[in-house]
Amino acid sequence: MTFQSRDVLSIIDFNRKDFEDLFSNADRIIKGNTSKFNLLEGKIMASAFFEPSTRTRLSFEAAMKKLGGDVITLVGEEAISIKKGESFIDTIRMLDAYSDIIVIRHSYEGAAKLAAEIAESPVINGGDGKQHHPTQAFIDLFTVKRLKDRIDGLVYGVLGDLKYARTANSFLLALTRFQPKKVYLISPNILRIRAETKDYLSRYNIKYEELFDVREVIGELDILYVTRIQKERFPDPIEYERVKGSYRLTLSVLKDAKPELKILHPLPKLDEIDREIDYTEFAAYFTQARYGVPIRMALLALIFGKKIP
């Protein structure tokens, strides 16, 4: 099994077959008649979140428990011995000694990769700085597959903070494993997509176009992926103040959209999507969030060499 004993650090480490295997296992979980599969009984997951999280941490913990495993949790440096001066490396060594798999989120880019170099157990990146969030990308494309019955051949728009949002960048990198018809990159000028992500899209012959206003292409889109402005990633608060509130999706913006357009958002959302949209058929972000548990259940099971029955 291609996932067995693997670290999950970046979405580019996985090929199309990996996505398809993961998705088929997640489908079996959703279709199953039980909410708990005892495949990981006796296994312990360390949930190491040095940065705030709601959906990622809780869905990983729920996934492990539904698989019959146990969870040990640390949240924030205030709650652990790093506050006393312990090194990050020593903390990872201890987590490795106490658990069979580590899920880590950290504000520093490369923290998950460093943890994987230290730990003997598999390490899953739950988000590192503005760089990677691979399991969110798995969820995002699984959601597209469930909603549209395909990922290939669709027109995608990615709207918002394309510079600092690790979710948007991981989503775009994940699309290179498929064949989208076209991708529109929509953002304020100072939040344009990073050069390395753009280069990666070009390497895989992804047809893309950069623009400022989603209304120019709203009628073409099958999927619109929206991200919030990542205030916590801005090195300069003045830069954040210049772009705060610079884009907002409203019903009037969607008046020319296809009726079957689906809007995704990794959450939390602030003011970039009007709350009125929550109650329309366009909104798919709460469904997307619910898929976090079956995807992460499938991922954990496959890493431990278990297939969902």
Side-chain angles (χ1 to χ4, degrees), residues 4-254:
Q4 189 166 352
S5 301
R6 286 178 72 173
D7 298 317
V8 180
L9 304 179
S10 167
I11 203 67
I12 64 174
D13 297 332
F14 299 89
N15 59 35
R16 181 169 181 141
K17 185 179 184 302
D18 295 329
F19 279 84
E20 291 169 348
D21 288 348
L22 180 67
F23 292 173
S24 64
N25 278 270
D27 280 331
R28 284 197 287 274
I29 290 169
I30 291 170
K31 293 172 185 174
N33 295 321
T34 177
S35 62
K36 185 165 182 174
F37 302 79
N38 290 313
L39 297 175
L40 299 187
E41 191 169 2
K43 300 295 184 182
I44 296 174
M45 181 185 81
S47 178
F49 280 71
F50 298 87
E51 189 179 49
S53 170
T54 301
R55 279 150 295 277
T56 302
R57 181 173 68 85
L58 294 181
S59 63
F60 260 118
E61 293 180 8
M64 190 65 178
K65 290 178 179 179
K66 283 177 178 287
L67 290 167
D70 291 311
V71 178
I72 56 174
T73 304
L74 63 84
V75 180
E77 295 184 358
E78 296 289 332
I80 57 177
S81 292
I82 284 179
K83 183 66 176 177
K84 303 175 185 176
E86 182 176 64
S87 71
F88 174 79
I89 291 173
D90 285 353
T91 299
I92 296 301
R93 287 189 178 123
M94 292 302 97
L95 292 174
D96 193 33
Y98 300 153
S99 65
D100 302 290
I101 190 167
I102 301 168
V103 181
I104 181 169
R105 168 171 288 191
H106 207 289
S107 59
Y108 293 153
E109 295 174 18
K113 185 175 185 293
L114 176 58
E117 291 170 357
I118 298 161
E120 294 181 12
S121 302
V123 171
I124 300 176
N125 184 358
D128 63 329
K130 66 179 186 295
Q131 195 165 25
H132 297 294
H133 199 339
T135 64
Q136 181 64 50
F138 282 136
I139 294 162
D140 297 338
L141 290 196
F142 181 68
T143 304
V144 174
K145 180 72 163 56
R146 296 279 297 186
L147 293 171
K148 298 291 188 180
D149 201 35
R150 62 188 173 120
I151 298 170
D152 297 323
L154 300 176
V155 178
Y156 295 83
V158 185
L159 169 65
D161 186 345
L162 307 189
K163 183 177 182 180
Y164 296 114
R166 59 195 174 201
T167 52
N169 280 273
S170 290
F171 178 73
L172 289 166
L173 295 175
L175 280 177
T176 65
R177 290 352 187 203
F178 296 86
Q179 296 178 321
K181 184 177 180 180
K182 189 167 184 179
V183 180
Y184 288 104
L185 308 172
I186 311 155
S187 69
N189 190 48
I190 66 171
L191 296 179
R192 288 296 199 198
I193 186 174
R194 301 197 297 270
E196 63 268 24
T197 304
K198 192 188 300 188
D199 290 345
Y200 201 83
L201 293 175
S202 297
R203 188 189 314 172
Y204 283 87
N205 298 313
I206 301 298
K207 186 178 179 183
Y208 69 85
E209 182 179 336
E210 294 183 272
L211 59 149
F212 297 98
D213 191 344
V214 68
R215 287 172 292 191
E216 294 178 32
V217 295
I218 194 66
E220 297 180 44
L221 303 180
D222 299 299
I223 297 290
L224 178 58
Y225 191 97
V226 185
T227 66
R228 67 182 174 87
I229 294 180
Q230 310 285 301
K231 179 180 180 181
E232 66 275 19
R233 311 272 175 235
F234 277 72
D236 183 355
I238 295 174
E239 184 185 18
Y240 168 73
E241 289 298 325
R242 283 205 298 266
V243 293
K244 181 175 68 174
S246 59
Y247 57 93
R248 181 176 174 82
L249 202 60
T250 64
L251 288 177
S252 65
V253 173
L254 297 175

Side-chain angles (χ1 to χ4, degrees), residues 281-300:
E281 292 297 314
F282 295 123
Y285 29 84
F286 297 123
T287 298
Q288 177 187 1
R290 285 197 296 273
Y291 286 147
V293 173
I295 277 288
R296 287 172 172 136
M297 286 178 70
L299 181 63
L300 289 167

